[in-house]
Short mmCIF file of all heavy atoms in Angstrom, two decimals:
data_model
loop_
_atom_site.label_atom_id
_atom_site.label_comp_id
_atom_site.label_asym_id
_atom_site.label_seq_id
_atom_site.Cartn_x
_atom_site.Cartn_y
_atom_site.Cartn_z
N ASN A 109 352.63 107.34 125.62
CA ASN A 109 352.29 106.40 124.56
C ASN A 109 352.91 105.03 124.85
O ASN A 109 352.22 104.02 124.79
CB ASN A 109 352.77 106.93 123.22
CG ASN A 109 352.14 106.21 122.07
OD1 ASN A 109 351.19 105.47 122.24
ND2 ASN A 109 352.66 106.42 120.88
N VAL A 110 354.20 105.02 125.14
CA VAL A 110 354.90 103.77 125.48
C VAL A 110 355.78 104.02 126.69
O VAL A 110 356.50 105.01 126.75
CB VAL A 110 355.76 103.27 124.29
CG1 VAL A 110 356.62 102.08 124.70
CG2 VAL A 110 354.88 102.89 123.11
N LEU A 111 355.71 103.11 127.64
CA LEU A 111 356.61 103.12 128.78
C LEU A 111 357.55 101.95 128.60
O LEU A 111 357.11 100.82 128.38
CB LEU A 111 355.83 102.97 130.08
CG LEU A 111 356.65 102.93 131.37
CD1 LEU A 111 355.87 103.59 132.50
CD2 LEU A 111 357.01 101.51 131.77
N THR A 112 358.85 102.23 128.66
CA THR A 112 359.87 101.20 128.59
C THR A 112 360.51 101.09 129.95
O THR A 112 360.97 102.09 130.50
CB THR A 112 360.93 101.52 127.52
OG1 THR A 112 360.28 101.64 126.25
CG2 THR A 112 361.99 100.45 127.45
N TYR A 113 360.53 99.89 130.47
CA TYR A 113 361.08 99.64 131.80
C TYR A 113 362.19 98.62 131.66
O TYR A 113 361.97 97.52 131.15
CB TYR A 113 359.97 99.09 132.71
CG TYR A 113 360.38 98.71 134.10
CD1 TYR A 113 360.64 99.67 135.06
CD2 TYR A 113 360.48 97.37 134.47
CE1 TYR A 113 360.99 99.32 136.36
CE2 TYR A 113 360.82 97.01 135.76
CZ TYR A 113 361.08 97.99 136.70
OH TYR A 113 361.42 97.63 137.98
N ILE A 114 363.39 99.02 132.06
CA ILE A 114 364.54 98.13 131.98
C ILE A 114 365.08 97.95 133.39
O ILE A 114 365.33 98.92 134.10
CB ILE A 114 365.63 98.73 131.07
CG1 ILE A 114 365.05 98.94 129.66
CG2 ILE A 114 366.86 97.82 131.03
CD1 ILE A 114 365.90 99.80 128.78
N VAL A 115 365.24 96.70 133.80
CA VAL A 115 365.73 96.42 135.14
C VAL A 115 366.77 95.31 135.06
O VAL A 115 366.65 94.39 134.26
CB VAL A 115 364.57 96.04 136.10
CG1 VAL A 115 363.87 94.78 135.66
CG2 VAL A 115 365.05 95.92 137.54
N THR A 116 367.82 95.46 135.89
CA THR A 116 368.84 94.43 135.98
C THR A 116 368.64 93.64 137.27
O THR A 116 367.97 94.11 138.19
CB THR A 116 370.25 95.04 135.94
OG1 THR A 116 370.38 95.98 137.00
CG2 THR A 116 370.52 95.71 134.60
N ASN A 117 369.24 92.48 137.33
CA ASN A 117 369.04 91.61 138.48
C ASN A 117 369.63 92.16 139.78
O ASN A 117 369.35 91.64 140.84
CB ASN A 117 369.56 90.20 138.20
CG ASN A 117 371.05 90.18 137.91
OD1 ASN A 117 371.72 91.21 137.92
ND2 ASN A 117 371.56 89.01 137.60
N ASP A 118 370.42 93.24 139.70
CA ASP A 118 370.92 93.86 140.91
C ASP A 118 370.01 95.00 141.40
O ASP A 118 370.33 95.71 142.35
CB ASP A 118 372.35 94.36 140.73
CG ASP A 118 372.49 95.44 139.67
OD1 ASP A 118 371.48 95.85 139.06
OD2 ASP A 118 373.63 95.88 139.42
N GLY A 119 368.87 95.16 140.74
CA GLY A 119 367.87 96.13 141.18
C GLY A 119 367.95 97.49 140.53
O GLY A 119 367.09 98.34 140.75
N LYS A 120 368.94 97.73 139.70
CA LYS A 120 369.03 99.02 139.00
C LYS A 120 368.02 99.03 137.86
O LYS A 120 367.84 98.03 137.18
CB LYS A 120 370.42 99.26 138.47
CG LYS A 120 371.43 99.45 139.58
CD LYS A 120 372.79 99.73 139.02
CE LYS A 120 373.78 99.91 140.18
NZ LYS A 120 375.13 100.12 139.69
N TYR A 121 367.38 100.17 137.68
CA TYR A 121 366.39 100.25 136.62
C TYR A 121 366.46 101.57 135.89
O TYR A 121 367.03 102.54 136.38
CB TYR A 121 364.98 100.01 137.15
CG TYR A 121 364.48 101.07 138.10
CD1 TYR A 121 363.90 102.25 137.64
CD2 TYR A 121 364.57 100.89 139.47
CE1 TYR A 121 363.45 103.22 138.50
CE2 TYR A 121 364.11 101.85 140.35
CZ TYR A 121 363.55 103.01 139.85
OH TYR A 121 363.11 103.98 140.72
N ASN A 122 365.86 101.58 134.73
CA ASN A 122 365.78 102.75 133.89
C ASN A 122 364.37 102.75 133.29
O ASN A 122 363.90 101.71 132.83
CB ASN A 122 366.84 102.65 132.79
CG ASN A 122 366.94 103.90 131.96
OD1 ASN A 122 366.52 104.97 132.35
ND2 ASN A 122 367.52 103.75 130.78
N VAL A 123 363.71 103.88 133.33
CA VAL A 123 362.35 104.00 132.80
C VAL A 123 362.32 105.15 131.81
O VAL A 123 362.83 106.23 132.09
CB VAL A 123 361.33 104.26 133.94
CG1 VAL A 123 359.93 104.40 133.37
CG2 VAL A 123 361.40 103.16 134.97
N GLU A 124 361.73 104.89 130.66
CA GLU A 124 361.58 105.94 129.67
C GLU A 124 360.13 106.01 129.22
O GLU A 124 359.50 104.98 128.97
CB GLU A 124 362.49 105.69 128.46
CG GLU A 124 363.95 105.81 128.80
CD GLU A 124 364.85 105.65 127.60
OE1 GLU A 124 364.40 105.87 126.45
OE2 GLU A 124 366.00 105.28 127.81
N TYR A 125 359.63 107.23 129.14
CA TYR A 125 358.27 107.49 128.67
C TYR A 125 358.36 108.08 127.27
O TYR A 125 359.10 109.03 127.05
CB TYR A 125 357.57 108.49 129.59
CG TYR A 125 357.29 107.97 130.96
CD1 TYR A 125 358.22 108.12 131.98
CD2 TYR A 125 356.09 107.34 131.25
CE1 TYR A 125 357.96 107.65 133.26
CE2 TYR A 125 355.82 106.88 132.53
CZ TYR A 125 356.76 107.03 133.52
OH TYR A 125 356.49 106.56 134.78
N ASP A 126 357.61 107.53 126.35
CA ASP A 126 357.54 108.07 125.00
C ASP A 126 356.14 108.65 124.81
O ASP A 126 355.15 107.96 124.96
CB ASP A 126 357.81 106.97 123.98
CG ASP A 126 357.94 107.49 122.57
OD1 ASP A 126 357.57 108.65 122.31
OD2 ASP A 126 358.42 106.73 121.72
N TYR A 127 356.09 109.94 124.51
CA TYR A 127 354.81 110.64 124.36
C TYR A 127 354.43 110.85 122.90
O TYR A 127 353.36 111.36 122.60
CB TYR A 127 354.86 112.00 125.07
CG TYR A 127 354.97 111.86 126.56
CD1 TYR A 127 356.20 111.76 127.19
CD2 TYR A 127 353.84 111.80 127.35
CE1 TYR A 127 356.31 111.62 128.56
CE2 TYR A 127 353.92 111.67 128.73
CZ TYR A 127 355.16 111.58 129.33
OH TYR A 127 355.25 111.44 130.69
N GLU A 128 355.31 110.46 121.99
CA GLU A 128 355.06 110.66 120.57
C GLU A 128 354.06 109.64 120.04
O GLU A 128 354.09 108.47 120.39
CB GLU A 128 356.37 110.52 119.78
CG GLU A 128 357.44 111.52 120.16
CD GLU A 128 357.03 112.95 119.88
OE1 GLU A 128 356.43 113.21 118.82
OE2 GLU A 128 357.31 113.81 120.73
#
Side-chain angles (χ1 to χ4, degrees):
N109 196 12
V110 173
L111 178 146
T112 300
Y113 177 75
I114 301 167
V115 62
T116 57
N117 61 1
D118 62 1
K120 292 182 181 177
Y121 65 84
N122 187 20
V123 179
E124 293 184 23
Y125 292 90
D126 188 346
Y127 293 89
E128 299 297 319

